[in-house]
Amino acid sequence: MEMRLTHLINGEARSADAGAWLEVFEPATGQPYAHCPEGSASDVADAVEAARVAFPGWSALPAADRAAWIGRLADALEARVDDFAAAESRDVGKPLSLARNLDIPRAVANLRFFAAAATQFASESHGAPGVVSYTLRQPLGVVGVISPWNLPLYLFTWKFAPALAAGNCVVGKPSEVTPVTAWMLGELAREIGFPAGVFNIVLGRGHVVGQALVDHPRVKAISFTGSTAVGVRIAESCARSLKKTSLELGGKNATLVFADAPRARLLDTVLRSAFLNSGQICLCGSRLLVERAYYEEFRDALVARAQAMVVGDPADAATHLGPVVSKAHFDKVMACIELARQEGGRVLCGGVAVQPEGRCRDGWFIAPTVIEGLGPSCRTNTEEIFGPVVTLQAFDTDEEALALANATPYGLSASVWTSDLSRAHRLAENLDAGVVWVNTWMNRDLRTPFGGVKQSGLGREGGWEALRFFTDAKSVTIDLG
Ligand code: NAD
């Protein structure tokens, strides 16, 4: 296990302080395979200082030049898509095909999208008799981005690309659970000669590196994606210095299936939304609400399809579900399944660990699990599990479906399956969610606002929203008299 990762600070690869290494595990085998530097507050201070020094030059570049740099990084990443996909698959345990078809192409797309956006961003002007007002959109300075383990490079690029595009310099802190592709991207940035200090990566633990970034007085904003508990803590810390925050947090998303749902892609998509990445996507639909007239037919078909899913080696092309990301997470998800049983839930399929043959026999695999018989207010139906576990509940009316969907503290996304257009619009308006899909799921246009309500977050990412977050608006008013 001799891969040793490094920070990227001021354009240089920096190793760990003596002995301060964290083990990185391969979820499919349960074995450590790399070492990640355990960064310190002083590494963060060095990265912030490098970013501070780089900021005047980077922010003064024409937007087209910043776009060109971000585009070069996208090109370099695209040229290595297979290496990055293999690394992401190994680090997270996700099927190689998923990393190859979703994670890494989306990371490239994020970079290209915000490179282009940098050249298109515009601000407003308001004319009035004898007076004109206009808005300047100015970069903030040094900003911090903190990302989770489930979609490592996808979400890391989603955060730092708009920050750079808007003219900021960045200190990034990827998850210590899955740090490999962020490190590889840092190496690519060095290879292409990305301007030193503009983009820094400090690896290490959340409560050390992440907290130091959040608390650093020169960091003007924190864009965070992760759990609600950590998000609340970051919001508290940032409140003391009135630091800008964007918080993308947990979810407990509802999938509403009406009896008139168009059948063509229904089961395939609901299955994907339930179990993609072993259910470890914030947008996964973990509560399936089904109109009673269609409940039994849908349930039986879903369970049959879930039972047919192949759980196994993520490197194997036939695999649908790899392991969950860590031993700690495996224990948490298994405890949630046990809790569901104690709460009176009937486990219709799954509910058990899986032990594949061969090299993956010590990995952290869980069978896709479908549970019924639980009401809306139990812990299983209100707390985030973030694993391959979904519940089924039946409803009779639109009002009941809406009440069930909204009966959690979260409000990230929802998907509605119906052929009734008026019903779709009515529900979209009334669901407590930042993102609503109708007859589809995780269909993302990068221009649309992305984020959650209630305990799922504060603020929006995507398109202009991200560029607005990473800039301050200054109003200038001129008397023309
Ligand atoms: P987490 O909150 O444990 O960690 C997220 C990041 O925050 C990691 O890089 C971690 O090191 C860092 N961190 C931890 N403590 C910190 C602190 N005190 N100060 C600063 N940084 C700190 O989340 P996770 O387990 O990595 O990810 C899973 C969670 O992320 C789930 O709740 C999931 O729903 C959520 N998520 C949300 C979205 C979204 O867009 N809303 C997307 C993906 C994941």
Side-chain angles (χ1 to χ4, degrees):
M1 70 144 174
E2 278 338 313
M3 188 153 60
R4 286 190 181 260
L5 318 187
T6 46
H7 307 297
L8 175 70
I9 298 178
N10 204 19
E12 290 169 3
R14 184 188 289 188
S15 192
D17 294 339
W21 294 99
L22 301 169
E23 286 183 320
V24 182
F25 288 82
E26 179 173 3
T29 63
Q31 302 303 315
Y33 78 104
H35 278 115
C36 168
E38 185 168 3
S40 62
S42 104
D43 292 321
V44 171
D46 291 351
V48 172
E49 178 58 13
R52 186 190 69 78
V53 171
F55 175 68
W58 179 252
S59 57
L61 282 182
D65 291 3
R66 289 199 299 272
W69 274 115
I70 300 168
R72 265 172 231 144
L73 194 57
D75 294 344
L77 177 58
E78 193 169 48
R80 298 266 312 275
V81 66
D82 289 323
D83 297 343
F84 273 77
E88 201 74 298
S89 166
R90 186 175 190 195
D91 213 22
V92 188
K94 63 180 65 200
L96 181 58
S97 56
L98 180 59
R100 180 66 183 77
N101 297 327
L102 177 73
D103 290 75
I104 309 304
R106 173 59 192 274
V108 173
N110 288 339
L111 294 169
R112 295 235 165 93
F113 175 83
F114 283 111
T119 67
Q120 305 296 315
F121 194 36
S123 57
E124 292 151 338
S125 141
H126 299 88
V131 181
V132 67
S133 299
Y134 61 88
T135 306
L136 292 175
R137 279 274 164 192
Q138 299 178 311
L140 306 174
V142 181
V143 299
V145 308
I146 302 177
S147 51
W149 50 255
N150 63 325
L151 301 166
L153 201 66
Y154 171 136
L155 289 174
F156 194 49
T157 50
W158 179 240
K159 296 189 161 299
F160 80 72
L164 292 178
N168 303 279
C169 290
V170 172
V171 179
K173 194 283 188 217
S175 170
E176 64 274 35
V177 182
T178 56
V180 171
T181 49
W183 162 68
M184 289 169 66
L185 193 75
E187 292 295 284
L188 275 192
R190 293 202 310 127
E191 271 168 49
I192 65 169
F194 207 88
V198 169
F199 168 48
N200 305 273
I201 301 172
V202 184
L203 303 175
R205 292 185 198 274
H207 67 275
V208 180
V209 171
Q211 194 66 48
L213 193 54
V214 166
D215 290 338
H216 198 294
R218 282 206 179 273
V219 173
K220 301 295 183 205
I222 294 288
S223 173
F224 170 81
T225 297
S227 61
T228 297
V230 173
V232 167
R233 200 187 172 125
I234 288 175
E236 285 168 356
S237 302
C238 288
R240 285 196 283 276
S241 54
L242 294 181
K243 204 167 277 183
K244 238 177 158 178
T245 51
S246 166
L247 304 171
E248 300 296 338
L249 311 177
K252 188 76 184 174
N253 311 307
T255 303
L256 293 79
V257 181
F258 288 84
D260 68 354
R263 300 290 195 267
R265 295 182 318 274
L266 173 67
L267 267 177
D268 282 349
T269 312
V270 171
L271 210 69
R272 247 171 79 77
S273 82
F275 299 122
L276 194 68
N277 206 32
S278 295
Q280 302 167 119
I281 298 181
C282 55
L283 303 168
C284 277
S286 55
R287 292 181 302 134
L288 309 183
L289 314 177
V290 188
E291 190 169 353
R292 202 172 306 277
Y294 179 40
Y295 181 86
E296 286 184 12
E297 182 187 340
F298 177 86
R299 175 196 63 194
D300 295 348
L302 181 85
V303 168
R305 292 283 303 268
Q307 282 170 326
M309 292 183 100
V310 178
V311 182
D313 191 339
D316 189 333
T319 293
H320 297 117
L321 269 83
V324 298
V325 77
S326 65
K327 174 71 166 70
H329 196 53
F330 173 88
D331 290 342
K332 179 205 149 170
V333 175
M334 291 306 289
C336 289
I337 294 170
E338 182 48 36
L339 174 69
R341 286 195 174 99
Q342 286 167 15
E343 288 183 318
R346 285 186 298 284
V347 176
L348 303 177
C349 66
V352 291
V354 175
Q355 191 176 31
E357 301 277 304
R359 79 169 198 110
C360 294
R361 68 185 167 278
D362 295 324
W364 302 307
F365 296 85
I366 300 174
T369 301
V370 180
I371 300 171
E372 72 170 359
L374 290 170
S377 56
C378 65
R379 288 180 57 194
T380 303
N381 273 330
T382 52
E383 297 178 7
E384 186 180 48
I385 298 174
F386 217 57
V389 182
V390 298
T391 62
L392 283 161
Q393 296 174 74
F395 64 81
D396 289 301
T397 63
D398 289 21
E399 291 65 34
E400 198 187 341
L402 183 66
L404 287 174
N406 288 345
T408 80
Y410 294 104
L412 187 54
S413 69
S415 65
V416 180
W417 291 82
T418 181
S419 297
D420 181 335
L421 193 59
S422 307
R423 167 191 282 152
H425 284 300
R426 224 172 28 244
L427 286 169
E429 191 180 337
N430 291 303
L431 281 162
D432 294 343
V435 179
V436 176
W437 286 289
V438 178
N439 299 335
T440 183
W441 175 74
M442 212 171 148
N443 193 332
R444 295 276 299 116
D445 180 325
L446 304 188
R447 296 168 299 181
T448 57
F450 179 86
V453 300
K454 304 199 297 198
Q455 297 292 299
S456 289
L458 211 54
R460 292 293 179 270
E461 299 185 313
W464 294 156
E465 299 281 346
L467 295 178
R468 289 194 189 110
F469 174 75
F470 285 116
T471 51
D472 267 335
K474 182 186 285 176
S475 291
V476 181
T477 298
I478 300 176
D479 186 327
L480 301 175

